[in-house]
Amino acid sequence: MGSLSFGSSQSAIGLDIGTEHVRVAQVKPSGAGFTLTAYGHVDVPMGAVADGEIIDAAAVSSAIKELWRRSNVRGKEVSTGVSNQRVIVRLIDLPFMERGELQSAIQYQAQDYIPMAVEDSILDFQIIGDYMTSNDEHMMEVLLVAAHREMIGNTVTAIEGAGLKLGQIDVSSFAIVRALMGEGPGVLPDDEGQATAIIHISAGITNIAVVERGIPRFNRISSLAGSTFSQAIANALNVSFEEAEQLKIVVGLPDVETGEGEQTPGVSPEQTQMVHQSLEREVNKFIAEVRRSLDYYLTQTSQVRNIQRILLTGSGAQLRNLSAYLSKGLQAQVLIGDPLERMQVASSAQAAVNADRMGSVTAIGLALGGLQK
Ligand SMILES: Nc1ncnc2c1ncn2[C@@H]1O[C@H](COP(=O)(O)OP(=O)(O)OP(=O)(O)O)[C@@H](O)[C@H]1O
Ligand SMILES: [Mg+2]
């Protein structure tokens, strides 16, 4: 074949299946970077996805079909992500061996590190690096991923039910890291002894990851997320979940220093105060949970003494004044993680992605992962 490609090099599609939305992003390489060529998001019927797992595959298939009708995505092969209690990621240390040897050894070694039966799991691994101990033992560091077979099966059923083909399955938090920071060392380098944390808040799940020199070295999921905040408002004000969602979005948290918030038309001062109080209570629990995770991570590593900065992202990160609360509560710099900062957006995708900018992170990262195959 000749070398002329007219810039129409291959593209990849990322599909992000969530509690409230399914999202699609299509990307292609362009020049030194990437271009987002198509984007879309549609609602998922209530209950079809819960705690990051597909409960009703047929309902998810229909939502995906609608997504394909309503967005300008072209193609059938997708990369998707999973993030729930039945996906385990562990960084482990093993005696050094060659890749091929590790391939079979991991089947026997894995059980020591994962809480699910290895027979019920699909295993994957990535070699991070090797080192010598002070006793001259040659060791290696391996990122082990175990996913429950049945859970993955439901994902495959939902995707194939929509007439699509599953190209690869990724861990959602790896996709989030990829979208915000790129991959490999050298991107957004941390100072000596420092690391970056990423907090991605969606409806049912918060992903917490810590990245050292471009490598995700820790991740945790929490069920304290956007829905928790809404439910707290619904309980305190005795309103429906839908009304609580609206109040959460229009009122949000007060100013962290003054405790005051703007008065929203149509919301009484008493309601505003109750929304502030219930959100503050939940956000304090949320901060305590994040702090526990980050402290745990810091006890596990000798290299890193401090979390230098936090990238806050996901739809739920739009909660008014949240970043100021996190910054104060976690004593770290909090930046908003914008997935479009690192890529071009074609005019064909502009309007759709602007309408869901903070929600687009995972789908974009999954698509970027698909390009690397
Ligand atoms: N402006 C806003 N302020 C506060 N919260 C918001 C705002 N916009 C959206 N959210 C919240 O974001 C959450 C929806 O996030 P998203 O659509 O990313 O969830 P999902 O990906 O479908 O779910 P999951 O991945 O957790 O299964 C809801 O809790 C919603 O209330
Ligand atoms: Mg999500």
Side-chain angles (χ1 to χ4, degrees):
M1 285 294 290
S3 58
L4 280 182
S5 69
F6 297 104
S8 62
S9 48
Q10 90 288 17
S11 67
I13 301 172
L15 173 68
D16 170 27
I17 302 171
T19 318
E20 294 189 0
H21 298 102
V22 281
R23 299 178 161 102
V24 65
Q26 187 154 23
V27 299
K28 66 170 192 191
S30 59
F34 306 100
T35 300
L36 181 71
T37 58
Y39 187 80
H41 79 301
V42 303
D43 290 349
V44 171
M46 189 115 125
V49 178
D51 302 322
E53 291 198 41
I54 295 173
I55 308 295
D56 182 347
V60 172
S61 297
S62 317
I64 297 171
K65 281 187 195 158
E66 192 189 333
L67 184 59
W68 251 246
R69 278 195 296 275
R70 297 211 330 217
S71 66
N72 50 2
V73 60
R74 295 276 171 276
K76 287 194 180 302
E77 184 170 326
V78 301
S79 297
T80 197
V82 283
S83 178
N84 56 60
Q85 299 295 348
R86 294 203 284 174
V87 194
I88 312 294
V89 184
R90 292 279 182 276
L91 203 53
I92 63 177
D93 295 278
L94 295 173
F96 181 82
M97 59 190 106
E98 296 301 331
R99 213 195 139 72
E101 203 184 334
L102 178 60
Q103 192 89 48
S104 48
I106 202 84
Q107 298 292 330
Y108 305 99
Q109 303 273 2
Q111 195 61 77
D112 293 345
Y113 302 96
I114 61 172
M116 307 179 291
V118 163
E119 309 83 82
D120 298 337
S121 310
I122 298 171
L123 301 178
D124 194 9
F125 65 86
Q126 195 187 327
I127 300 170
I128 302 290
D130 63 318
Y131 61 94
M132 301 301 291
T133 65
S134 48
N135 300 332
D136 248 17
E137 292 163 294
H138 194 184
M139 300 289 288
M140 68 199 298
E141 213 177 10
V142 175
L143 193 64
L144 171 68
V145 179
H148 199 276
R149 203 177 287 281
E150 179 199 38
M151 181 271 295
I152 296 293
N154 292 341
T155 304
V156 175
T157 306
I159 287 173
E160 291 181 352
L164 302 176
K165 181 172 176 289
L166 181 57
Q168 70 180 33
I169 297 199
D170 204 347
V171 177
S172 301
S173 67
F174 296 169
I176 293 165
V177 171
R178 188 182 300 125
L180 296 179
M181 301 182 76
E183 258 180 329
V187 257
L188 257 178
D190 296 301
D191 295 344
E192 193 65 28
Q194 310 268 0
T196 299
I198 295 182
I199 302 178
H200 180 282
I201 308 175
S202 48
I205 284 173
T206 294
N207 274 285
I208 303 164
V210 180
V211 182
E212 277 174 50
R213 277 158 306 198
I215 296 169
R217 297 185 63 97
F218 171 84
N219 79 78
R220 252 307 142 78
I221 60 171
S222 167
S223 57
L224 299 185
S227 299
T228 324
F229 301 153
S230 303
Q231 193 57 54
I233 295 172
N235 296 347
L237 278 77
N238 199 18
V239 296
S240 71
F241 184 80
E242 288 67 31
E243 282 174 85
E245 281 267 323
Q246 263 331 97
L247 284 168
K248 176 181 77 173
I249 290 169
V250 299
V251 177
L253 286 159
D255 184 289
V256 69
E257 300 304 337
T258 67
E260 276 161 35
E262 285 153 52
Q263 211 48 63
T264 314
V267 185
S268 71
E270 293 73 30
Q271 276 188 317
T272 302
Q273 204 188 3
M274 286 171 81
V275 170
H276 284 168
Q277 284 171 354
S278 43
L279 281 178
E280 269 196 333
R281 216 166 20 241
E282 292 311 309
V283 165
N284 286 332
K285 284 187 217 159
F286 180 82
I287 289 170
E289 173 120 325
V290 173
R291 185 180 302 117
R292 268 195 302 278
S293 286
L294 298 181
D295 284 349
Y296 175 78
Y297 157 77
L298 289 170
T299 64
Q300 300 294 301
T301 164
S302 52
Q303 314 274 309
V304 171
R305 294 179 306 277
N306 190 24
I307 302 293
Q308 179 171 35
R309 80 187 134 215
I310 294 172
L311 298 181
L312 178 63
T313 186
S315 289
Q318 298 170 97
L319 185 65
R320 190 193 303 255
N321 290 323
L322 179 63
S323 60
Y325 273 76
L326 291 181
S327 180
K328 189 171 185 190
L330 296 166
Q331 292 292 304
Q333 180 189 21
V334 177
L335 304 169
I336 296 297
D338 179 357
L340 301 184
E341 209 165 88
R342 305 180 63 256
M343 59 170 36
Q344 314 269 331
V345 181
S347 55
S348 52
Q350 201 87 54
V353 77
N354 280 343
D356 186 34
R357 195 167 178 133
M358 294 301 285
S360 66
V361 183
T362 314
I364 288 175
L366 290 168
L368 291 172
L371 280 178
Q372 294 163 345
K373 273 192 304 179

